[in-house]
Amino acid sequence: MSARDRILERVRAGLKRPTPVSVARPDRSLAPMARPVSHLLNDFIARAESLQSTVAQVANLNAVPAAVAEYLQAQGLPRKSVIWPSLKALDWFSSGLTAEARPPVSEDRLGITETFCGIAETGTLLLHSGVDHFSTTSLLPETHIAILRVDRLVERMEQAFALMQSELDQLPRATNFISGPSRTADIEQTIVIGAHGPRRVHIILVG
Amino acid sequence: MRIGLFVTCLVDAMRPSIGFASVSLLEAAGCEVTIPDTQTCCGQPGFNSGDRPSGIQLGLAFLRDFEGFDAIVAPSGSCIGMIHDYPTLFKDDLALQARLNVLTAKCYELTDFLVNHAPKPLSPGRLSMTVSYHDSCTGLRQLEIKSQPRFLLQQTQGVELREMKDAEICCGFGGSFSIKLGDIATQMADKKCAHALETGCDAIVGGDLGCLLNIEGRLRRRGDPHTQVKHVAELLAESLVNPQLEKS
Amino acid sequence: MKIRSEQFKGNVRKQLADEALQSNLSRFGGGFADRRRDALVKVDDFEALRDRGASIRAEVLENLDYWLLKFEAEAQRRGTQVHWAETGAEANQILLNIARNAGVQRVVKSKSMVSEESGLNEVLTEAGMTVTETDLGEYILQLANEPPSHIIAPAIHKSRDEVSALFEKHHGTPRTDDIPSLCEEARGQLRPHFLAADMGVSGGNFLIAETGSVTIVTNEGNGRMVTTLPRVHVAMTGIEKVLPTLEDLSAILRLLPRSATGQDITNYVSILTGVRDEGAMDGPQENHVILVDNGRSRLLGGDLHDALRCIRCGACMNHCPVYQNIGGHAYGWVYPGPIGAILTPAFLGLEKALDLPQASTLCAACEVVCPVRIPLPDLMRVLREKELTQGLRPWHERLSIRLWRWLALHPGWYAFAARWGTRLLRGMAGSDRLLHTLPGLDGWTEGRDMPAPQGETFRDQWRKKQAAERKIIPIRLDPSPSEKKAGLKK
């Protein structure tokens, strides 16, 4: 008998029955939310900002590079970035930016990604991995700029999962919910922004 | 309304004045008070030490002593909490469990009874002191005793209620815990005393004698012979002696 | 992890006498509880969230084998290798084999309490690998060579000065009292480890049965690094951590961060499914999950079953006045506080942790905050009952409980004992009406006086008063006629 069999045998013995062939879940409504969302966009912005993300809004995708440049200017950050290949088509050059479509190395200071969807419930970004969706772009650089189409906002986490289910063949290798810059409170319960991941998360809403 | 007063074992032995105070308050609230002579203890000390038979057998004894009353009142949230747990000990005897359910539904902590269930509202009298109220755990968390004692104290003319920091945090009594792990209990009591004294109150007031003995014991050992440690029933009963003055 | 739960009372004495620890506990101990309270102000109906969380976890346990098998099948379908370990030692061996087969030299870890149970770091180090903890708290403790004292804030017992001293010793950097600088230093120290590691070891906050995924919840981002950068990822987690669906995860995630740190959501929630996609540039090429039993399956269906609902938020310890006074190390194993007082004896055996279920006033501060409604005080009482019935309590304790119960069931004798007992105590008290010592009750009188009984017992006084009012009730030693009459008729 393997460890697996012995563990399962003890589980069955404890529950006093053989493993059921199928399990019916109780038929019930969607789980309650902590706070209802009254306005998708406004709530998303307010809640993202409460988690120390910063938010800007532009009318269309073509306006993104200028908004990025403006943000970098205001923060005093260098105008050099690594981007997801899907963003290659944008005119970064005219805004004085260099944008390389490659996975980041540790020294890269700015990563720009798209966002699968935004969740208003908590002001959260949902990014997933893929051949052209490097997970590290939102992780290694100290600044992460996420581009999020306003029509990709959903109310709650369950809807984000439903959206993935309807649009993707299968759950990607990594599904990352990102809610603000990385942080720690491991020393004296003092919250410090910028632990191992980005120190800044800037969201550019499009639409 | 015929009330059976459950005096509790600690009050019986250590501080009978709380029992007499309870009688006065209940009578002032329009109750006819009876004290069954065969009552002893709710069983919690044994039950919480892991002796289930304590809960079961004393639950039966309690049923015998108190089943016939319109309501049963005790000056202790802790004991009433234990009593409310009796039905869970009789899962195999549905008839008995049903009887206990009926019984426990009419068992009340004293201040809760006076505020929410008494035939007529209690009109406390007058005192002159500042007090700080310590919330006892079982009363607070199992029976939701929080506003009731404060309401009565605020109704008492001349009593100023000052909230202490962490009033809801356990004082460290916990029955046998206070002996088995006395060093932790002492430190918890020490924090309780410090928070209470920060308010500058004349008396630390509570609704459970176990907590009061623990707090007073620590206070006296710290060398404070003055600050009073009182059961809320004692204060309220003392106030009855002095009718409220007309406000000019 | 080395088991020190047997020496609980000694641990407590040490912790209470440790001034630095006491100062740290009183300065930072209450932080989580305050933040949780502030977070709940913004929640409409937290009780409804708790109801949902509790019912989801209860449902999982009712069919744990089914959900584990479903998880296994889905995980395997996506290329994850699923291993089962009956004990911590077995889990370590499985992990060691994975590491050896993959030629691993450098291991980075994000926080895993199960790997603390199994003592994984020592095993890997002995096998010649370098292991680096990357959660800031865990990293600090690795430098200090100490076990965690809290399940979500492992180094909560350390002050910035202590951290700075450790960093000075190990990094050779100058001392600082600036916390952001200390965090920055750790970031700088740990980044190269993430980049160079061959293998990442993580825990798993949840396993998702319908997708075969491991979910990791972190704030620092180290969990993402550990599961993204190295070529091998191994998640080590308890068999009870499974959730049926992503919808269940959504519901549970509304509870976990709020209960733990008072955050609406943690910075990162990562749902990891399978291995690196064909042609992708990141993610592990090998992905493993080790499902660890280590005592858990024994609890199913028994009277401690509900403890397996736990989602490891730490709210019970954050709100426990005992934990807040003695800190986590006193409990002597991986899980401190109320949940530890249950899990330690449950996983290791009651005889290894006799004092833990006693280390509670049953104040229920834990129970009212538990996001999945584990009846923690009831479970501690269950363990106390086991100790008593298995003869594991000292003889004098067992005797006194029986004697007390006998007395309480015999009102006449009880009245007699109370009458003479109170007389004796009054006689022993000084003019201050206090008892400074009590034979056999040193536990009380070492730190507190005992106020002496006021006078005659209430019932004696009441009887006299009634007699004076001509309502004479005779003193009885035997059951009264009314007692017999009212005898229980079922």
Side-chain angles (χ1 to χ4, degrees):
Chain A
M1 240 177 147
S2 64
R4 176 180 182 273
D5 295 339
R6 281 190 296 271
I7 293 170
L8 288 168
E9 204 42 57
R10 275 197 300 273
V11 172
R12 292 182 194 114
L15 299 172
K16 297 170 193 74
R17 49 137 192 74
T19 302
V21 183
S22 67
V23 168
R25 299 297 305 283
D27 189 16
R28 56 187 167 197
S29 55
L30 215 50
M33 271 206 283
R35 281 188 286 172
V37 169
S38 53
H39 188 285
L40 265 186
L41 181 61
N42 292 351
D43 285 355
F44 175 82
I45 294 173
R47 293 175 196 186
E49 285 176 345
S50 77
L51 299 168
Q52 284 79 40
S53 293
T54 51
V55 185
Q57 196 171 357
V58 296
N60 55 54
L61 210 52
N62 292 330
V64 165
V68 169
E70 193 184 325
Y71 171 76
L72 296 177
Q73 176 86 31
Q75 298 288 321
L77 295 170
R79 298 176 159 226
K80 192 170 168 297
S81 71
V82 288
I83 59 173
W84 277 3
S86 54
L87 295 168
K88 242 179 353 191
L90 292 180
D91 179 8
W92 301 99
F93 184 75
S94 298
S95 296
L97 300 164
T98 56
E100 295 177 31
R102 58 167 172 83
V105 293
S106 191
E107 291 69 31
D108 286 316
R109 295 183 61 189
L110 170 62
I112 304 178
T113 69
E114 290 187 283
T115 307
F116 179 76
C117 70
I119 303 162
E121 178 182 5
T122 45
T124 297
L125 304 168
L126 171 49
L127 279 71
H128 65 77
S129 65
V131 173
D132 283 344
H133 291 185
F134 318 127
S135 304
T136 44
T137 313
S138 62
L139 182 62
L140 290 174
E142 60 176 19
T143 304
H144 171 212
I145 295 180
I147 298 164
L148 171 59
R149 278 165 40 196
V150 170
D151 62 9
R152 299 292 291 182
L153 284 175
V154 297
E155 204 171 287
R156 52 196 291 158
M157 195 176 262
E158 289 91 336
Q159 290 167 332
F161 286 129
L163 204 57
M164 291 183 87
Q165 204 171 19
S166 69
E167 295 181 5
L168 306 173
D169 299 338
Q170 60 178 8
L171 204 60
R173 182 196 64 77
T175 305
N176 286 307
F177 292 89
I178 300 176
S179 308
S182 70
R183 72 194 66 199
T184 182
D186 271 356
I187 303 177
E188 294 194 1
Q189 291 271 291
T190 305
I191 295 171
V192 175
I193 299 288
H196 296 300
R199 305 170 202 275
R200 284 173 287 271
V201 172
H202 184 61
I203 302 166
I204 299 178
L205 289 161
V206 179
Chain B
M1 197 174 195
R2 273 189 75 240
I3 301 296
L5 179 65
F6 184 61
V7 182
T8 80
C9 55
L10 269 185
V11 167
D12 179 57
M14 303 299 283
R15 214 188 279 187
S17 56
I18 298 169
F20 287 105
S22 303
V23 174
S24 323
L25 293 170
L26 288 167
E27 286 177 350
C31 301
E32 182 197 328
V33 182
T34 304
I35 298 165
D37 199 45
T38 49
Q39 61 174 289
T40 57
C41 171
C42 65
Q44 196 194 50
F47 183 64
N48 279 354
S49 298
D51 188 44
R52 206 173 175 79
S54 287
I56 292 170
Q57 293 170 16
L58 285 159
L60 292 175
F62 187 87
L63 184 71
R64 171 200 70 202
D65 288 341
F66 287 97
E67 198 173 19
F69 293 100
D70 300 327
I72 299 98
V73 176
S76 162
S78 183
C79 308
I80 293 294
M82 175 70 214
I83 289 161
H84 279 224
D85 281 343
Y86 287 154
T88 64
L89 304 177
F90 294 88
K91 287 191 176 126
D92 300 332
D93 187 336
L94 293 179
L96 198 52
Q97 193 177 41
R99 272 170 76 191
L100 281 162
N101 276 326
V102 172
L103 173 76
T104 56
K106 54 183 182 179
C107 291
Y108 304 100
E109 186 270 346
L110 177 68
T111 62
D112 180 43
F113 179 81
L114 291 171
V115 173
N116 295 320
H117 307 282
K120 65 175 197 188
L122 178 77
S123 307
R126 182 164 47 88
L127 286 172
S128 175
M129 66 196 314
T130 56
V131 300
S132 195
Y133 194 85
H134 160 67
D135 294 290
S136 291
C137 299
T138 308
L140 175 72
R141 283 181 266 272
Q142 191 180 342
L143 307 173
E144 299 180 351
I145 310 297
K146 175 78 185 178
S147 61
Q148 302 90 325
R150 288 174 173 77
F151 174 78
L152 293 170
L153 289 167
Q154 279 157 347
Q155 295 280 301
T156 312
Q157 208 173 42
V159 167
E160 186 195 338
L161 180 62
R162 293 182 190 165
E163 290 295 338
M164 68 177 91
K165 181 175 182 264
D166 294 342
E168 293 187 357
I169 290 182
C170 180
C171 70
F173 176 64
S176 63
F177 172 87
S178 63
I179 298 159
K180 284 181 190 156
L181 291 159
D183 42 5
I184 309 176
T186 297
Q187 183 159 314
M188 287 165 72
D190 209 42
K191 289 184 179 170
K192 182 58 66 178
C193 292
H195 290 146
L197 294 178
E198 277 165 18
T199 67
C201 62
D202 303 316
I204 304 170
V205 183
D208 265 286
L209 183 54
C211 311
L212 298 179
L213 292 173
N214 187 45
I215 294 168
E216 183 173 355
R218 181 59 196 160
L219 205 57
R220 302 296 172 246
R221 182 62 63 88
R222 281 164 62 121
D224 178 339
H226 303 298
T227 307
Q228 300 175 57
V229 182
K230 290 258 191 182
H231 194 284
V232 62
E234 292 177 290
L235 275 192
L236 293 170
E238 284 166 28
S239 82
L240 293 179
V241 182
N242 315 307
Q244 297 215 349
L245 299 173
E246 293 280 336
K247 284 191 183 127
S248 54
Chain C
M1 186 170 151
K2 200 164 171 199
I3 300 166
R4 292 196 177 82
S5 49
E6 284 154 301
Q7 301 110 45
F8 179 75
K9 284 186 174 172
N11 301 344
V12 165
R13 265 192 298 280
K14 219 175 90 198
Q15 306 295 71
L16 288 174
D18 184 338
E19 282 176 33
L21 174 79
Q22 288 299 322
S23 152
N24 292 344
L25 280 173
S26 58
R27 281 195 295 152
F28 328 123
F32 282 130
D34 294 345
R35 285 190 193 140
R36 175 185 177 277
R37 191 194 51 222
D38 294 345
L40 295 202
V41 171
K42 297 181 288 180
V43 177
D44 273 4
D45 185 358
F46 197 66
E47 295 310 306
L49 302 185
R50 289 176 78 207
D51 285 339
R52 178 61 67 105
S55 67
I56 289 171
R57 290 296 299 149
E59 278 170 51
V60 168
L61 297 180
E62 279 312 312
N63 291 297
L64 186 62
D65 45 351
Y66 175 83
W67 296 118
L68 281 170
L69 289 170
K70 183 152 177 111
F71 167 79
E72 181 186 49
E74 285 303 312
Q76 286 171 342
R77 199 174 64 77
R78 292 296 302 270
T80 298
Q81 298 176 51
V82 180
H83 313 260
W84 302 67
E86 287 196 272
T87 62
E90 223 173 275
N92 290 345
Q93 194 53 50
I94 292 168
L95 198 138
L96 198 56
N97 291 344
I98 296 170
R100 281 185 175 142
N101 290 339
V104 167
Q105 272 307 308
R106 289 167 298 252
V107 179
V108 280
K109 277 183 74 199
S110 70
K111 201 153 68 64
S112 156
M113 297 315 282
V114 175
S115 77
E116 298 285 348
E117 286 181 37
S118 68
L120 175 66
N121 292 7
E122 287 163 37
V123 172
L124 292 180
T125 308
E126 272 168 31
M129 296 172 212
T130 56
V131 185
T132 311
E133 292 282 359
T134 62
D135 171 82
L136 177 55
E138 291 279 359
Y139 175 65
I140 291 166
L141 296 182
Q142 191 177 25
L143 297 183
N145 194 24
E146 282 179 32
S149 73
H150 191 288
I151 61 169
I152 59 161
I156 196 171
H157 59 286
K158 290 227 172 291
S159 68
R160 66 181 85 183
D161 294 334
E162 291 166 273
V163 174
S164 178
L166 277 170
F167 282 8
E168 181 189 33
K169 184 174 154 201
H170 290 272
H171 307 156
T173 44
R175 293 285 286 265
T176 173
D177 61 0
D178 183 49
I179 291 173
S181 305
L182 291 168
C183 295
E184 190 57 38
E185 191 175 327
R187 178 185 167 113
Q189 287 286 334
L190 286 166
R191 184 58 80 97
H193 288 282
F194 289 124
L195 297 171
D198 312 300
M199 181 188 206
V201 175
S202 72
N205 292 82
F206 303 104
L207 304 167
I208 312 298
E210 67 170 353
T211 59
S213 316
V214 175
T215 302
I216 293 174
V217 174
T218 70
N219 278 310
E220 296 181 3
N222 62 318
R224 286 189 64 194
M225 298 273 190
V226 163
T227 58
T228 307
L229 299 174
R231 58 191 163 86
V232 183
H233 168 224
V234 185
M236 202 188 221
T237 195
I239 54 167
E240 82 284 20
K241 291 298 197 67
V242 66
L243 292 174
T245 65
L246 292 169
E247 195 178 316
D248 296 317
L249 176 69
S250 310
I252 295 285
L253 285 175
R254 296 192 179 102
L255 286 165
L256 175 61
R258 288 185 171 92
S259 302
T261 53
Q263 291 173 279
D264 294 344
I265 186 163
T266 41
N267 272 87
Y268 302 110
V269 175
S270 301
I271 300 167
L272 306 161
T273 315
V275 292
R276 177 184 294 203
D277 298 311
E278 185 92 25
M281 306 294 281
D282 52 34
Q285 285 137 333
E286 247 185 67
N287 195 32
H288 302 260
V289 176
I290 306 176
L291 301 171
V292 184
D293 183 341
N294 209 24
R296 288 159 172 81
S297 59
R298 280 202 310 267
L299 308 193
L300 283 165
D303 42 17
L304 299 171
H305 176 99
D306 290 342
L308 293 176
R309 276 190 227 157
C310 178
I311 57 170
R312 305 285 190 271
C313 70
C316 60
M317 55 203 79
N318 295 337
H319 292 79
C320 175
V322 173
Y323 175 94
Q324 292 299 330
N325 276 285
I326 62 177
H329 284 164
Y331 292 83
W333 200 54
V334 181
Y335 305 102
I339 192 66
I342 295 158
L343 293 184
T344 304
F347 289 175
L348 300 178
L350 196 49
E351 66 291 342
K352 290 255 197 296
L354 280 179
D355 291 319
L356 261 51
Q358 311 286 337
S360 165
T361 61
L362 305 183
C363 78
C366 50
E367 186 177 20
V368 298
V369 297
C370 176
V372 289
R373 297 194 189 279
I374 299 171
L376 294 144
D378 286 348
L379 299 186
M380 283 187 249
R381 211 183 277 111
V382 163
L383 287 164
R384 291 179 183 189
E385 200 177 324
K386 287 184 197 290
E387 290 189 9
L388 201 61
T389 51
Q390 292 171 19
L392 295 170
R393 298 306 303 167
W395 66 269
H396 54 86
E397 188 180 320
R398 284 180 280 155
L399 181 68
S400 52
I401 290 172
R402 295 186 74 146
L403 182 66
W404 167 86
R405 192 214 306 156
W406 187 88
L407 277 174
L409 287 166
H410 295 82
W413 286 108
Y414 184 89
F416 179 81
R419 184 178 308 135
W420 288 99
T422 51
R423 280 181 193 168
L424 181 68
L425 287 178
R426 272 183 288 138
M428 286 162 62
S431 56
D432 54 3
R433 299 172 66 92
L434 295 170
L435 294 142
H436 304 292
T437 55
L438 276 168
L441 297 179
D442 310 345
W444 182 289
T445 52
E446 267 171 22
R448 289 152 295 174
D449 294 329
M450 176 63 84
Q454 223 169 19
E456 297 278 289
T457 67
F458 174 83
R459 287 187 301 165
D460 280 352
Q461 293 187 49
W462 181 253
R463 207 175 285 115
K464 283 179 191 161
K465 190 166 170 266
Q466 298 284 79
E469 291 166 12
R470 295 181 177 281
K471 294 179 194 162
I472 296 164
I473 294 171
I475 294 173
R476 295 178 298 253
L477 290 179
D478 299 317
S480 67
S482 66
E483 203 175 327
K484 282 177 182 153
K485 227 172 19 193
L488 297 156
K489 301 159 210 152
K490 289 186 188 173

